[in-house]
């Protein structure tokens, strides 16, 4: 188990954390008590700490508290985990004040002596809007609200959707979309147009008035979730 020698220089680091302070990108905060066993972290609903973020893998990491102090283990996640800004390779022992960064979520380890006097705040589950589109790039899954589309996507349709979802903050050009699906020089505009048309047919409640996959004339496509 790797340990940064500099971490032992601060007296407060002799405290083992008893609680996690979780702060999500949305501003939601919650406190999670560390109890003996294993705490799983990820997007999957079965996780002890469920994080609704596209940068978090379904099963991203876990904290093992079965023997000695808590230890963070990254589970081969797509974007990795950081402890105090350093990539968490293998097992990392956690001490009071350590900051775990998973995607756009910050988790601070807090010792028992530093716990707030107020009652721990239970996790607040935000309802998912019925028309919100979500894409799990690792698990090859798509949801509209809480349900999968009625018609399954082909591999190429999912590849196109995944690229649009990953770059949903902007318009994606036809060139980059075609290259991402088929590879450079292996496609033409008609192929991309037909693929986008099939994708709309499976996602859109009204394909003639698309809610999700927007065509930007002469440029490409944009995804609205």
């Amino acid at each position: 188990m790797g340990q940064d020698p500099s971490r032992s220089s601060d007296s407060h680091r002799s405290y083992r954390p008893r609680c996690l302070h979780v702060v999500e990108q949305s501003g939601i905060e919650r406190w999670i008590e560390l109890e003996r066993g294993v705490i799983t972290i990820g997007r999957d609903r079965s996780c002890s700490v469920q994080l609704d973020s596209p940068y978090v893998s379904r099963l991203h990491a876990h904290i093992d508290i079965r023997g000695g102090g808590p230890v963070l283990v990254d589970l081969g996640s797509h974007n990795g985990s950081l402890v105090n800004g350093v990539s968490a390779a293998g097992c990392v022992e956690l001490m009071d004040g350590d900051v775990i960064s998973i995607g756009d979520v910050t988790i601070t380890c807090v010792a028992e002596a530093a716990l707030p006097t107020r009652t721990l705040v239970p996790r607040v589950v935000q309802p998912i809007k019925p028309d919100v589109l979500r894409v799990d790039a690792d698990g090859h899954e798509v949801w509209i609200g809480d349900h999968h589309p009625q018609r399954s996507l082909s591999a190429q349709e999912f590849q196109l959707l995944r690229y649009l979802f990953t770059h949903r903050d902007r318009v994606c050009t036809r060139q980059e979309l075609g290259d991402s699906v088929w590879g450079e020089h292996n496609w033409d505009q008609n192929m991309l147009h037909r693929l986008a048309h099939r994708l709309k047919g499976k996602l859109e409640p009204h394909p003639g008035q698309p809610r999700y996959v927007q065509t930007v004339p002469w440029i490409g496509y944009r995804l609205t979730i």
Side-chain angles (χ1 to χ4, degrees):
M1 179 184 304
Q3 182 71 34
D4 184 352
S6 65
R7 294 172 58 176
S8 61
S9 63
D10 298 330
S11 59
H12 76 280
R13 293 202 180 278
S14 61
Y15 293 107
R16 298 189 187 279
R18 298 287 183 241
C19 182
L20 302 176
H21 182 210
V22 182
V23 181
E24 300 189 42
Q25 177 67 22
S26 62
I28 294 176
E29 298 184 41
R30 47 192 152 118
W31 293 86
I32 307 293
E33 290 187 280
L34 292 174
E35 300 177 349
R36 187 167 295 277
V38 176
I39 290 182
T40 53
I41 304 172
R43 270 205 331 275
D44 195 272
R45 295 194 173 192
S46 66
C47 291
S48 313
V49 183
Q50 185 191 1
L51 304 175
D52 187 14
S53 168
Y55 306 107
V56 177
S57 297
R58 291 179 62 194
L59 298 175
H60 197 104
H62 73 232
I63 297 176
D64 193 334
I65 325 165
R66 288 176 295 190
V71 173
L72 177 73
V73 180
D74 187 272
L75 300 175
S77 62
H78 183 70
N79 291 314
S81 307
L82 303 178
V83 176
N84 302 326
V86 179
S87 178
C91 302
V92 179
E93 184 178 359
L94 299 173
M95 305 297 288
D96 174 36
D98 284 343
V99 178
I100 305 168
S101 300
I102 293 180
D104 51 9
V105 179
T106 300
I107 303 174
T108 304
C109 300
V110 181
E112 187 173 14
L115 286 177
T117 55
R118 59 186 172 85
T119 304
L120 295 180
V121 178
R123 177 175 176 265
V124 178
V125 178
Q126 297 295 315
I128 299 174
K129 295 181 180 179
D131 64 340
V132 169
L133 176 69
R134 295 181 295 148
V135 178
D136 181 352
D138 296 328
H140 204 280
E141 292 185 281
V142 180
W143 295 271
I144 297 177
D146 278 328
H147 304 283
H148 295 293
Q150 293 183 353
R151 300 167 60 192
S152 299
L153 303 187
S154 69
Q156 287 185 347
E157 290 162 356
F158 183 82
Q159 196 169 349
L160 176 61
L161 178 61
R162 178 172 56 188
Y163 192 94
L164 288 167
F165 184 82
T166 303
H167 303 86
R168 60 190 179 277
D169 57 336
R170 63 178 177 83
V171 177
C172 297
T173 66
R174 291 177 294 191
Q175 185 69 48
E176 63 181 301
L177 289 170
D179 289 350
S180 71
V181 175
W182 293 283
E184 192 174 0
H185 307 308
N186 292 324
W187 62 280
D188 58 40
Q189 293 186 20
N190 286 331
M191 292 169 60
L192 179 60
H193 174 76
R194 290 194 297 269
L195 181 62
H197 181 75
R198 293 198 301 272
L199 178 61
K200 289 181 181 181
K202 293 183 178 180
L203 290 182
E204 305 288 356
H206 306 288
Q209 297 178 321
R211 156 73 172 81
Y212 304 107
V213 182
Q214 311 285 336
T215 301
V216 181
W218 312 113
I219 299 176
Y221 298 89
R222 175 179 57 217
L223 187 71
T224 302
I225 62 172

